[in-house]
């Protein structure tokens, strides 16, 4: 049994500091451009912010990760390569990469730079993970949110690469790195621009008592008076299939795997990742504090671990859509 | 330019598949991709059946490639993948990196559309691993293709998905089973009812997506039949046509004519849904631009 490390999101310096203060082992961040998969206006770090963040994290004994996890197109790789050079120069503890060409560049140019395999790489099995390990010496792999617990255990058993899994946050129902739904509708996707269902494509239209949420003209959901109108992420709307109207792809719920913490530790998971670089410092503070408490409680007394009511309530308050799921870890979700 | 027929993405009956490929044998495609790429539960044809079919198609002059599954989750998926990779007879299309590990440095392979080859450096790496053809990711435009082609490694062919509903996403969840309120493990193979997938529309009745088990496709049909001259100028080697339950042979013949510089039959009545071509022009994929 190992005690998983806690990996927390930082969309800006206040979030980074609060993640560190609340007990994150690692914080991950991105630059203010399309080299990362949360390329949102007002979010992310410039070089000075990254330097300050790194200083703050290291002073507290935490480590910092830079996500460079989109796919440069055509001749564009040099811009992403400069981001890798910058991370190495700055002394970032590891970079999270998705594109194979960039991994090769990093492994050749910066052999001392630690590489983590991004969830956007879509590596769902140990053959794939071991291949990246053989070729580029990756130090950790983040699993897509599609595997059941038994499948996660099988991966861990068959790879020398430490495995990180998502524990909490917004849930992708599709295999990450393999979803072009957003570019089909808006022209921009996680792979190409680091965004999904971008805000600039969203239109809210009020018709009498109903509120329509559209994404580049496509009706993602229609809310009756009094219904909680969530952000129109395109896979989480209500659609019609054979005259039935329902959440045909996924409900607007978020992942919470806290009750699986003992199983994840026993499987030998190296780290648990919290999603949400686009969320507020308050979210980062609450989720980091509660997960730190849970992991510490488990480490102290594995046999007696149970999810405390105030942890559950605290997480429920910040969850997207106010609804929790175990996602694919639980076979029935599939 | 050569024409290829992509793998059948839907679940058809054994009879329908055999009848379909008997017709394909006499059609104008040069390359045929065979195998199940979407769901490991689909079994109307087993690997040995696919291999028999591959030999028959090979005997009719087709170059056959075995396509592997795009999402590999379990040990049994890996076992099936290893059998395909070690078939020793036919080239394999890798659709995820596990397959690449089994093929790299051993045999030449096709790097499929789901491997995320978005830039020149990554393409060069795949060429070194032994890829002799790569399929452009669906969401990339002609402008990106031009850049990739300008520095394409020697010995690598370029294939572009040119016709069909686009496979846009994969999930561990089966959306067809979900629609029928069935668990995935006891799905009763309801996707057999939908030989062109299950239509998903918006609440204001716009055709939006197509549910195909674990795969989500566009509702609209990607159609680059008007861009053939441009594709040729860009030195694309292969155009991929994706099978549908009816009129696939007529669509092949129309593309065949167009590739030969003749007008070719209109695809208007042959498509299962209206066309789109936005990705080619670097705009939202669902859009359709009438060629100038």
């Amino acid at each position: 049994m190992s005690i998983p490390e806690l990996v927390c999101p930082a969309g800006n310096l206040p979030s980074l500091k609060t993640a560190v203060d609340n007990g994150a082992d690692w914080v991950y961040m991105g630059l203010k451009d399309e080299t990362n998969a949360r390329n949102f206006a007002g979010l992310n770090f410039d070089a000075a912010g990254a330097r300050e963040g790194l200083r703050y994290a290291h002073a507290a004994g935490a480590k910092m990760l830079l996500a460079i996890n989109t796919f440069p197109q055509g001749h564009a790789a040099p811009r992403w390569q400069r981001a890798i050079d910058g991370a190495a120069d700055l002394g970032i503890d590891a970079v999270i990469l998705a594109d194979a060409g960039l991994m090769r560049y990093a492994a050749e140019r910066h052999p001392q730079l630690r590489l983590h395999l991004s969830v956007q790489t879509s590596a769902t099995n140990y053959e794939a993970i071991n291949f990246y390990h053989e070729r580029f010496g990756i130090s950790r792999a983040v699993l897509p949110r599609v595997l059941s617990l038994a499948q996660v255990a099988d991966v861990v058993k068959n790879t020398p690469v430490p495995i990180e899994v998502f524990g909490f946050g917004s849930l992708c129902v599709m295999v990450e790195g393999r979803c072009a739904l957003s570019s089909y509708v808006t022209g921009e996707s996680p792979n190409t621009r680091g965004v999904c269902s971008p805000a600039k494509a969203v239109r809210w239209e009020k018709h009498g008592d109903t509120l329509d949420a559209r994404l580049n003209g496509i009706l993602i959901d229609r809310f009756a008076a009094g219904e909680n109108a969530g952000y129109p992420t395109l896979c989480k709307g209500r659609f019609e299939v054979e005259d039935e109207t329902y959440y045909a792809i996924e409900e607007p719920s978020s992942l919470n795997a806290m009750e699986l913490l003992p199983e994840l530790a026993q499987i030998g998971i190296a780290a648990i990742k919290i999603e949400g670089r686009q969320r507020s410092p308050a979210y980062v503070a609450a989720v980091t504090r509660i997960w730190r408490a849970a992991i510490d409680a488990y480490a102290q007394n594995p046999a007696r671990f149970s999810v405390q009511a105030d942890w559950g309530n605290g997480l429920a308050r910040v969850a997207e859509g106010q609804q929790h799921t175990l996602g694919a870890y639980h076979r029935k979700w599939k | 330019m050569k024409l290829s027929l992509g793998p059948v993405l839907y679940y058809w009956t054994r009879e329908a598949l055999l009848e379909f490929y008997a017709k394909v044998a006499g059609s104008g495609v040069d390359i045929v991709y065979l195998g199940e790429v979407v769901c490991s539960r689909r079994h109307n044809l087993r690997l040995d059946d696919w291999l028999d079919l591959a030999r028959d198609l090979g005997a009719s002059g087709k170059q056959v490639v075995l396509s592997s599954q795009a999402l590999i989750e379990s040990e049994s998926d890996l076992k099936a993948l290893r059998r395909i990779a070690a078939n020793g007879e036919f080239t394999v299309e890798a659709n995820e990196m596990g397959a690449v590990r089994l093929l790299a440095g051993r045999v030449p392979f096709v790097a499929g559309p789901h491997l995320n080859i978005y830039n020149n450096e990554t393409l060069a790496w795949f060429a070194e691993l032994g890829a002799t053809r790569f399929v452009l990711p669906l969401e990339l435009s002609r402008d990106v293709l031009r850049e990739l082609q300008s520095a394409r490694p020697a010995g690598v062919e370029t294939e572009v998905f040119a016709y069909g509903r686009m496979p846009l996403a994969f999930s561990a969840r089966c959306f067809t089973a979900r629609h029928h309120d069935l668990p995935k493990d006891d799905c009763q193979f309801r996707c057999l009812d939908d030989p062109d997938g299950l239509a998903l529309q918006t609440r204001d009745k716009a055709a939006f997506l197509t549910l195909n088990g674990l795969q989500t496709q566009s509702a609209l049909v990607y159609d680059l039949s008007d861009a053939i001259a441009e594709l040729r100028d860009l030195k694309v080697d292969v155009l991929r046509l994706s099978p549908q339950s009816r009129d696939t042979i007529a669509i092949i013949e129309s593309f065949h004519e167009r590739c030969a510089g003749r007008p070719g039959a209109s695809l208007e009545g042959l498509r299962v849904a209206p066309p789109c071509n936005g990705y080619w022009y670097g705009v939202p994929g669902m859009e359709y631009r009438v060629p100038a």
Side-chain angles (χ1 to χ4, degrees):
Chain A
M1 185 198 74
S2 63
I3 301 302
E5 293 185 309
L6 181 59
V7 184
C8 294
N12 53 37
L13 203 52
S15 287
L16 182 146
K17 289 180 173 174
T18 199
V20 170
D21 294 347
N22 282 284
D25 297 303
W26 293 80
V27 285
Y28 65 103
M29 34 79 79
L31 299 173
K32 280 185 179 296
D33 60 28
E34 61 194 344
T35 61
N36 77 92
R38 292 289 183 280
N39 177 26
F40 301 168
L43 207 66
N44 295 323
F45 290 73
D46 56 18
R51 198 172 296 114
E52 168 62 11
L54 189 65
R55 192 199 57 73
Y56 193 88
H58 281 179
K63 292 181 184 145
M64 193 157 98
L65 287 155
L66 180 66
I68 305 174
N69 56 350
T70 50
F71 295 83
Q73 296 166 46
H75 295 327
R79 231 167 345 119
W80 277 251
Q81 292 169 352
R82 295 299 82 77
I84 293 170
D85 296 340
D89 292 347
L90 207 58
I92 296 264
D93 296 289
V95 288
I96 308 172
L97 300 179
D99 177 65
L102 292 179
M103 275 181 243
R104 180 190 214 179
Y105 175 86
E108 286 176 2
R109 295 295 181 90
H110 305 288
Q112 81 294 349
L113 182 62
R114 197 182 143 106
L115 307 183
H116 288 196
L117 197 64
S118 168
V119 68
Q120 297 298 125
T121 313
S122 328
T124 55
N125 60 80
Y126 61 82
E127 293 285 4
I129 292 166
N130 290 346
F131 191 60
Y132 286 107
H133 181 64
E134 289 157 11
R135 300 283 163 161
F136 308 124
I138 57 164
S139 305
R140 188 180 290 180
V142 186
L143 292 185
R145 282 162 274 197
V146 295
L147 299 182
S148 66
L149 265 186
Q151 290 168 341
V152 173
D154 191 53
V155 170
V156 172
K157 225 183 309 164
N158 289 287
T159 180
V161 179
I163 296 296
E164 178 172 316
V165 297
F166 277 90
F168 188 84
S170 186
L171 180 74
C172 268
V173 64
M174 303 302 178
V175 184
E176 291 91 339
R178 289 284 179 74
C179 182
L181 291 176
S182 182
S183 62
Y184 181 64
V185 178
T186 73
E188 300 190 342
S189 73
N191 283 3
T192 59
R193 293 273 178 261
V195 294
C196 172
S197 311
K200 66 182 179 198
V202 173
R203 295 283 176 278
W204 296 95
E205 293 172 0
K206 191 122 176 74
H207 301 285
D209 271 354
T210 64
L211 183 61
D212 286 356
R214 290 184 185 273
L215 193 66
N216 194 19
I218 295 289
L219 183 62
I220 302 298
D221 211 341
R222 172 168 283 170
F223 302 99
E227 265 189 314
N228 185 17
Y231 187 87
T233 302
L234 66 85
C235 60
K236 294 179 180 176
R238 281 173 286 193
F239 302 105
E240 293 181 3
V241 181
E242 292 183 324
D243 295 327
E244 196 187 328
T245 302
Y246 65 112
Y247 294 106
I249 301 175
E250 173 64 319
E251 282 86 9
S253 57
S254 65
L255 173 73
N256 181 8
M258 184 172 274
E259 67 180 80
L260 302 178
L261 183 55
E263 281 104 317
L264 293 171
Q266 280 150 26
I267 283 171
I269 289 300
I272 292 175
K273 182 168 199 154
I274 308 298
E275 186 276 344
R277 283 194 283 130
Q278 74 286 8
R279 302 291 303 268
S280 67
Y283 164 92
V284 174
V287 178
T288 305
R289 179 176 47 76
I290 293 168
W291 273 85
R292 178 79 273 155
I295 293 171
D296 289 349
Y298 178 75
Q300 243 164 36
N301 196 341
R304 300 284 304 273
F305 179 83
S306 66
V307 177
Q308 306 294 306
D310 59 327
W311 299 344
N313 294 336
L315 292 176
R317 271 196 293 278
V318 296
E320 183 189 52
Q322 310 290 317
Q323 193 183 341
H324 275 159
T325 166
L326 290 174
Y329 293 130
H330 187 41
R331 182 86 200 162
K332 269 176 143 171
W333 176 89
K334 299 186 179 186
Chain B
M1 272 187 303
K2 291 178 276 192
L3 288 178
S4 76
L5 185 68
V8 171
L9 299 176
Y10 310 105
Y11 194 33
W12 293 352
T13 62
R14 183 183 173 86
E15 296 67 37
L17 284 166
L18 296 178
E19 192 187 326
F20 176 72
Y21 283 113
K23 285 191 233 158
V24 168
S27 76
V29 286
D30 306 285
I31 303 163
V32 181
Y33 290 86
L34 291 180
E36 175 57 50
V37 299
V38 176
C39 179
S40 57
R41 289 177 53 76
R42 295 176 175 178
H43 60 270
N44 282 339
L45 293 186
R46 310 273 186 187
L47 180 58
D48 289 338
D49 300 318
W50 289 115
L51 288 169
D52 287 343
L53 206 45
R55 290 179 197 116
D56 291 348
L57 286 162
S60 357
K62 308 299 180 199
Q63 183 195 125
V64 178
V65 179
L66 298 178
S67 290
S68 60
Q69 211 169 284
L71 171 59
I72 300 287
E73 292 178 89
S74 65
E75 196 59 51
S76 65
D77 289 350
L78 283 172
K79 275 194 193 118
L81 181 64
R82 289 187 189 108
R83 284 193 64 206
I84 293 169
N87 83 84
E89 204 175 341
F90 299 98
T91 305
V92 174
E93 177 185 61
N95 278 316
E96 52 75 57
M97 207 57 89
V100 176
R101 187 190 196 216
L102 300 177
L103 298 162
R106 297 194 175 105
V107 286
F109 63 94
V110 176
H114 307 297
L115 281 177
N116 288 351
I117 300 175
Y118 280 77
N119 56 68
N120 295 87
E121 289 77 1
T122 299
L123 178 56
W125 184 64
F126 272 98
E128 288 171 36
L129 296 176
T132 51
R133 183 184 302 150
F134 87 104
V135 187
L136 186 74
L138 285 147
E139 63 178 351
L140 294 186
S141 68
R142 59 183 179 178
D143 293 337
V144 176
L145 176 63
R146 186 172 296 114
E147 295 188 3
L148 290 172
Q149 293 295 78
S150 74
R152 175 165 48 147
V156 177
E157 289 186 325
T158 302
E159 178 165 341
V160 172
F161 187 100
Y163 179 91
R165 283 182 159 149
M166 290 182 284
L168 295 173
F170 290 89
S171 175
R173 171 177 281 174
C174 176
F175 302 108
T176 305
R178 176 178 170 88
H179 174 66
H180 296 292
D181 265 324
L182 292 167
K184 182 178 161 190
D185 294 337
D186 180 26
C187 65
Q188 298 169 27
F189 303 103
R190 294 294 295 269
C191 56
L192 273 171
D193 300 344
D194 313 309
D196 290 299
L198 188 55
L200 177 152
Q201 58 178 15
T202 63
R203 291 167 81 180
D204 55 358
K205 315 294 179 200
F208 181 30
L209 299 171
T210 302
L211 304 178
N212 175 36
L214 316 184
Q215 186 183 64
T216 303
Q217 303 181 332
S218 60
L220 304 178
V221 173
Y222 196 54
D223 181 355
L224 293 185
S225 58
D226 290 319
I228 285 176
E230 230 178 335
L231 286 154
R232 186 184 293 112
D233 289 347
L234 284 168
K235 303 207 166 25
V236 168
D237 302 280
V238 183
L239 299 185
R240 176 176 295 206
L241 315 177
S242 192
Q244 58 187 41
S245 69
R246 59 167 174 85
D247 295 325
T248 302
I249 304 300
I251 291 159
I252 293 170
E253 298 319 322
S254 176
F255 268 85
H256 193 69
E257 289 297 297
R258 287 160 194 253
C259 286
R262 296 185 285 267
S266 165
L267 298 177
E268 194 68 48
L270 303 178
R271 288 185 294 251
V272 291
C276 63
N277 57 14
Y279 279 141
W280 181 245
Y281 296 102
V283 297
M286 66 182 183
E287 291 182 10
Y288 181 66
R289 284 200 181 172
V290 181

